[in-house]
């Protein structure tokens, strides 16, 4: 997912280019300065004072309140609800119910065997074993039933996401106009914090599974759309011309050439949809989705980290298994080994022959089905369908003891370095407070100017315009001050994430062993529901903005580490060889060759760090971060559409602005899962 | 929109009741005991849905959940659903009276007895300062779903304090326990019934007395919180057709001590709600037998 192969601009051969670049930057700044010189006095004359002028705000609470009342009053009678949303809602319930019944009928052994066999078919023996073990672990943790509920929900949500995302992606892949029109919508869908649209969804559908599935689809469909469009657009020109010259019609070209050529991207899209959907499992529980997320959320109420972890681990296991399986399947498909998912009928077998070859294509799937049914039936006859309660391991208590010990010893009074509470205090007073008061002290027009300058230097005038408009919308919505508060937390968290992430990432790039040790840790950090570490974070850092920053760092770090490692490692080996032959030491190599050459990857890491940190702002609201995150949670808890949606919109605008200011390349390389 | 139940309900042909649970432990205790009796005495299957208070009202009116067992007073919702739409009916009191107030840990109140009057709070602002409260004292508030006038109170009583919202009850409890472990002073918004009082004894700070209607204007509040007899509400259809389950939930009525006993088992001894309910049910047979009559 990194763009590490882009030519490095920092090398000597490009010196003249750099000079013109500098001259152009100076010209841009000059234009801005002139604009500012004309506009700022005007603005100051009209609306003096530092923060966004009241005259330029719009109060949307009235109309939004009326909209929510209208929905509540008409929900049971208006045809729109009866014949449209009602049917969607019923369809979702029926589908989830059906999948759930199938899973229950298969029994624990049937599900574990079936999942293992499918994994074997798609990804080989090792993953089959991992998958079966993962399911057994879910049972051992006492989470079998919630796991099945979550799985049923996920199956339906992912299918819907793939369907919706695929159709949109098809349209965007074939038509430039649709592609352009969809882009901002997809951006919004991904940046808008899920909490902000839970409330409107709940208003329309009521709490429960339909709302949860729809909220999940909104979040999980965009990657499928993007990747489908990317795959269709990236079809090899030569092949397309050849197909066209054979006289194929448009539809034939699509079905026989474009779609098959895009198999790799399509599968990656499915993979990404699954990961996004799983990350919604816990958030959706806030509106009554049930399953594992609900267990995590309920454990929070009794401040029980152990129980939350016991419900969180199955989510991690599901994520790891599904990710590895679909990724492996995608690689097989993408590399042209046509056997496998979806179209086994054209199984062009390769690899070691014999009877094994027969199992490629549909006979293999038949075998999977037969074996699964056999296992399920056998267990049913033996009367062992349900997970036996005596086979459960209680991890909650030891985990709680460990967390208590850790927080008890680290919180304060550690010799020489001080406790985590002291660090949090210093961080708040020395970093967060000055940054926040600095931002809030700046006159509003100067914030716009800085944003414009940064975005223009790094991109085109369009990027600058988007960024400035995004900031202006925040002002107009009347949440200028709390947005700057959030911005200060995001900036602090991004800096910490980048410092840690670059250090660890460079270390991992230079040592295979470290990377191998890190991989499972990063997996867990990326997929563990954030609600699980809410309590430990507060226990270590107290209530406030410091734990919010800590939670954000934990969440964003893995992506930054991964991108950095990959970027530094895939640096052109010839350049490295050359520098080594010139007698450069390891440190010199790193500073003068690897890092400059990995610059595109590092910039991508910065961008992803920003986007991911912003995604955890809501969680920050749950541990005392205040500002926009708190407003969004408040909106949901109090059924206050205006507060929640406005804060959500402000987060989107912040995201848009930060993205434009940190994204030098034309297109971003997809959102990290 | 048509009424739907959860797709996980009735999965194996059992009669199902859906109860809403709010985020605090007291609410979990009510639900745990009610579900235990529903399951073991009346042979229902019970589904629980964790959801905040206002969305829970909405869900109740639509029949997504059948009952709310502990409501702290939502006049707007009552008017909309109980009086106007008649989709929700009152199911009487829970037997527990809720009370919101400001509290300091008892160890601090013993050292400085005069801290328990709001008039002296400014004297202690310096001691109650945290990095998060800036130069002022910290008044710790909790989850965004709670009823609170604290910002207005601080302003109208001219207190040198900053309201810091913990954002969730879990965060607030964790913070209080950390303070208590170190014997540090703190001032917090808190409420009864609550199991935490058994672990961290706290003393209430006296605010100007509550009078009917003194909290009518949210910006001008300068008085204490009222005492709220907690209420139960049922979905209107469930109340009519819910049979034995609806009858039980209407009769469900217990005391503050009962609820705290169960809450403490759940939150502190880390029993599962089901185990805690079983212990209480085994020990209080005469009490809940009346609910079944």
């Amino acid at each position: 997912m990194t763009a590490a192969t882009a030519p490095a601009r920092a090398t000597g051969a490009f010196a003249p280019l750099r000079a013109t670049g500098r001259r152009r930057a100076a010209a841009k700044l000059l234009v801005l300065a002139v604009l500012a010189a004309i506009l700022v006095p005007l603005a100051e004359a009209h609306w003096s004072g530092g923060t966004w002028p009241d005259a330029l705000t719009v109060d949307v609470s009235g109309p939004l309140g009326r909209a929510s009342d209208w929905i509540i009053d008409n929900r049971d009678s208006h045809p729109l609800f009866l014949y449209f949303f009602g049917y969607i809602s019923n369809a979702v319930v029926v589908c989830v119910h059906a999948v759930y019944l199938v899973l229950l009928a298969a029994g624990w052994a049937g599900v574990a065997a079936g999942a293992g066999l499918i994994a074997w078919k798609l990804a080989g023996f090792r993953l089959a074993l991992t998958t079966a073990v993962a399911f057994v672990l879910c049972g051992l943790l006492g989470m079998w039933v919630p796991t099945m509920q979550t799985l049923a929900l996920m199956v339906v949500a992912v299918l819907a996401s793939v369907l919706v995302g695929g159709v949109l992606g098809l349209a965007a892949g074939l038509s430039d106009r649709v592609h352009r029109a969809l882009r901002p919508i997809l951006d919004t869908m991904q940046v808008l914090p899920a909490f902000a649209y839970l409330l409107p969804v709940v208003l329309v559908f009521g709490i429960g599974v339909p709302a949860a599935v729809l909220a999940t689809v909104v979040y999980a469909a965009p990657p499928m759309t993007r990747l489908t469009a990317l795959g269709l657009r990236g079809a090899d020109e030569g092949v397309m011309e050849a197909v066209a010259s054979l006289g194929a019609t448009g539809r034939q070209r699509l079905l026989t050439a474009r779609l098959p050529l895009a198999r790799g991207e399509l599968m990656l899209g499915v993979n990404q949809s699954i990961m996004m959907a799983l990350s919604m499992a816990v958030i959706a529980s806030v509106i009554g989705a049930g399953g594992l997320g609900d267990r995590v959320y309920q454990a929070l109420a009794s401040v029980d980290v152990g129980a939350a972890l016991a419900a969180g681990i199955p989510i991690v296991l599901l994520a790891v298994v599904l990710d590895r399986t679909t990724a492996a399947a995608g690689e097989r498909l993408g590399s042209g080994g046509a056997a496998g998912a979806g179209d086994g009928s054209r199984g062009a077998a390769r690899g070691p022959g014999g009877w094994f070859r027969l199992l490629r294509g549909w006979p293999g799937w038949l075998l999977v089905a037969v074996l699964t049914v056999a296992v399920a039936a056998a267990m049913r006859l033996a009367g062992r369908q349900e997970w036996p309660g005596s086979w459960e391991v209680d991890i909650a208590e030891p985990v709680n003891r460990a967390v208590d010990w850790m927080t008890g010893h680290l919180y304060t009074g550690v010799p020489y370095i001080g406790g985590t509470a002291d660090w949090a205090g210093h961080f708040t007073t020395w970093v967060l407070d000055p940054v926040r008061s600095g931002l809030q002290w700046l006159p509003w027009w100067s914030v716009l100017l800085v944003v414009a300058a940064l975005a223009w230097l790094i991109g085109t005038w369009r990027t600058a315009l988007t960024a400035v408009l995004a900031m202006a919308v925040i002002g107009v919505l009347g949440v200028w001050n709390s947005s700057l508060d959030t911005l200060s937390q995001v900036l602090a968290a991004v800096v910490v994430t980048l410092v840690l992430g670059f250090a660890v990432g460079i270390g991992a790039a230079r040592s295979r062993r470290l990377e191998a040790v890190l991989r499972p840790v990063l997996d867990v950090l990326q997929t563990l529901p954030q609600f699980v570490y809410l309590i430990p974070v507060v226990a270590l850092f107290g209530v406030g903005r410091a734990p919010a920053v800590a939670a954000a760092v934990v969440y964003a770090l893995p992506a930054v580490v991964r991108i950095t490692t990959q970027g530094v490692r895939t640096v052109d080996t010839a350049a490295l060889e050359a520098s080594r032959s010139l007698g450069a030491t390891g440190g010199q190599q790193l500073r003068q060759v690897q890092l400059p050459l990995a610059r595109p990857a590092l910039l991508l890491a910065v961008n992803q760090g920003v986007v991911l940190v912003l995604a955890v702002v809501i969680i920050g609201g749950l541990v005392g971060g205040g500002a926009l995150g708190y407003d969004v949670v408040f909106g949901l808890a109090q059924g206050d559409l205006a507060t929640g949606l406005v804060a959500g919109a402000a987060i989107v605008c912040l995201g848009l602005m930060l993205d434009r200011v940190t994204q030098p390349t034309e297109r971003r390389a997809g959102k990290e899962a | 929109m048509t009424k739907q139940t959860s797709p996980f309900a009735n999965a194996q042909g059992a009669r199902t009741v859906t109860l809403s649970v709010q985020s605090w432990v007291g609410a979990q205790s009510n639900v745990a005991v009610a579900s235990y009796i529903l399951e073991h005495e009346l042979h229902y299957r019970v589904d629980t849905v964790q959801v905040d208070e206002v969305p829970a009202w909405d869900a109740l009116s639509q029949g997504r959940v059948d009952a709310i067992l502990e409501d702290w007073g939502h006049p707007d919702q009552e008017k909309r659903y109980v009086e106007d739409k008649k989709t929700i009916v009152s199911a009487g009191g829970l037997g527990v009276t809720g009370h919101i107030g400001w509290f300091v840990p008892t160890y601090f109140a013993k050292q400085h007895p005069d801290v328990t009057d709001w008039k002296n709070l400014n004297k202690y602002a310096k001691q109650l300062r945290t990095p998060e409260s800036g130069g002022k004292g910290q008044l710790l508030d909790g989850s965004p779903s709670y009823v609170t006038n604290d910002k207005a109170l601080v302003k109208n009583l001219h207190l040198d304090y900053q309201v810091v919202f913990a954002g969730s009850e879990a965060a607030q409890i964790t913070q209080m326990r950390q303070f208590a472990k170190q014997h540090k002073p703190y001032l917090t918004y808190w409420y009864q019934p609550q199991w935490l009082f058994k672990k961290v004894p706290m003393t209430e700070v006296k605010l100007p007395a509550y009078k009917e209607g003194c909290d009518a204007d949210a910006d001008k509040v300068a008085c204490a919180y009222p005492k709220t007899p907690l209420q139960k509400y049922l979905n209107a259809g469930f109340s009519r057709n819910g049979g034995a389950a609806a009858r039980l939930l209407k009769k469900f009525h217990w005391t503050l001590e009962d609820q705290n006993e169960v809450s403490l088992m759940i939150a502190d001894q880390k029993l599962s709600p089901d185990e805690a309910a079983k212990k209480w049910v085994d020990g209080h047979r005469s009490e809940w037998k009346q609910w079944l009559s």
Side-chain angles (χ1 to χ4, degrees), chain A residues 168-191:
Chain A
L168 289 179
L170 205 63
L174 298 178
S175 147
D176 280 328
R177 196 179 295 164
V178 177
H179 191 232
R180 268 198 309 273
L182 271 180
R183 253 188 63 191
I185 301 175
L186 295 178
D187 281 341
T188 315
M189 281 163 85
Q190 286 194 304
V191 185

Side-chain angles (χ1 to χ4, degrees), chain A residues 52 90 110 174 205 343 436 467 485 611 645 666:
Chain A
W52 187 269
N90 282 334
L174 298 178
F205 290 97
D343 57 354
R436 177 172 69 179
D485 186 352
V611 171
L645 269 187
E666 275 301 292

Side-chain angles (χ1 to χ4, degrees), chain A residues 69 75 97 205 539 543, chain B residues 1 7 64 80 132 175 178:
Chain A
D69 285 343
R75 207 165 33 189
H97 189 67
F205 290 97
V543 154
Chain B
M1 203 180 302
R64 305 297 162 94
R80 171 175 269 160
E132 202 52 52
Q175 177 71 82
Q178 287 289 29

Side-chain angles (χ1 to χ4, degrees), chain A residues 602-618:
Chain A
L602 297 186
L603 282 173
L604 180 66
V606 173
N607 181 262
Q608 285 299 304
V610 169
V611 171
L612 291 174
V613 162
L614 201 63
V616 200
V617 160
I618 310 294

Side-chain angles (χ1 to χ4, degrees), chain A residues 325-537:
Chain A
T325 311
T326 47
E331 263 164 43
R332 284 191 179 187
L333 279 172
S335 67
D343 57 354
S345 52
R346 293 187 298 110
R350 42 172 203 135
W355 65 272
F356 204 71
R357 179 178 301 183
L358 283 177
L359 290 179
R360 298 193 176 271
W362 64 268
W365 287 108
L366 197 65
L367 183 73
V368 166
V370 168
L371 282 179
T372 308
V373 171
V375 172
M379 293 309 266
R380 179 158 213 151
L381 287 177
R384 291 190 166 259
Q385 230 176 337
E386 279 175 34
W387 183 267
S390 56
W391 290 8
E392 282 169 13
V393 182
D394 183 21
I395 65 155
E397 212 219 309
V399 168
N400 281 328
R401 232 181 301 137
V403 171
D404 279 348
W405 185 89
M406 188 184 75
T407 54
H409 283 74
L410 296 181
Y411 185 67
T412 188
V414 181
Y416 304 117
I417 53 168
T420 48
D422 308 330
W423 298 358
H426 294 324
F427 190 73
T428 308
T429 337
W430 294 342
V431 179
L432 287 172
D433 281 348
V435 175
R436 177 172 69 179
S437 38
L439 282 175
Q440 290 179 342
W441 167 84
L442 282 175
W444 59 276
W445 45 264
S446 71
V447 175
L448 294 187
L449 268 180
V450 170
V451 167
L454 285 176
W456 203 3
L457 286 181
I458 210 158
T460 61
W461 65 270
R462 275 175 199 235
T463 5
L465 193 64
T466 318
V468 169
L469 282 180
M471 271 323 271
V473 169
I474 289 176
V476 169
L477 287 173
V479 283
W480 184 257
N481 264 331
S482 45
S483 297
L484 290 183
D485 186 352
T486 296
L487 182 61
S488 72
Q489 296 174 38
V490 169
L491 292 179
V494 167
V495 170
V496 176
T497 310
L498 291 180
V499 169
L500 286 176
F502 284 164
V504 176
I506 290 168
R510 295 165 75 86
S511 149
R512 288 273 173 197
R513 192 181 298 164
L514 181 62
E515 197 193 7
V517 173
L518 273 178
R519 191 171 173 205
V521 178
L522 296 181
D523 275 346
V524 170
L525 286 183
Q526 259 184 328
T527 45
L528 193 69
Q530 297 117 37
F531 280 25
V532 173
Y533 47 79
L534 222 86
I535 294 164
V537 158

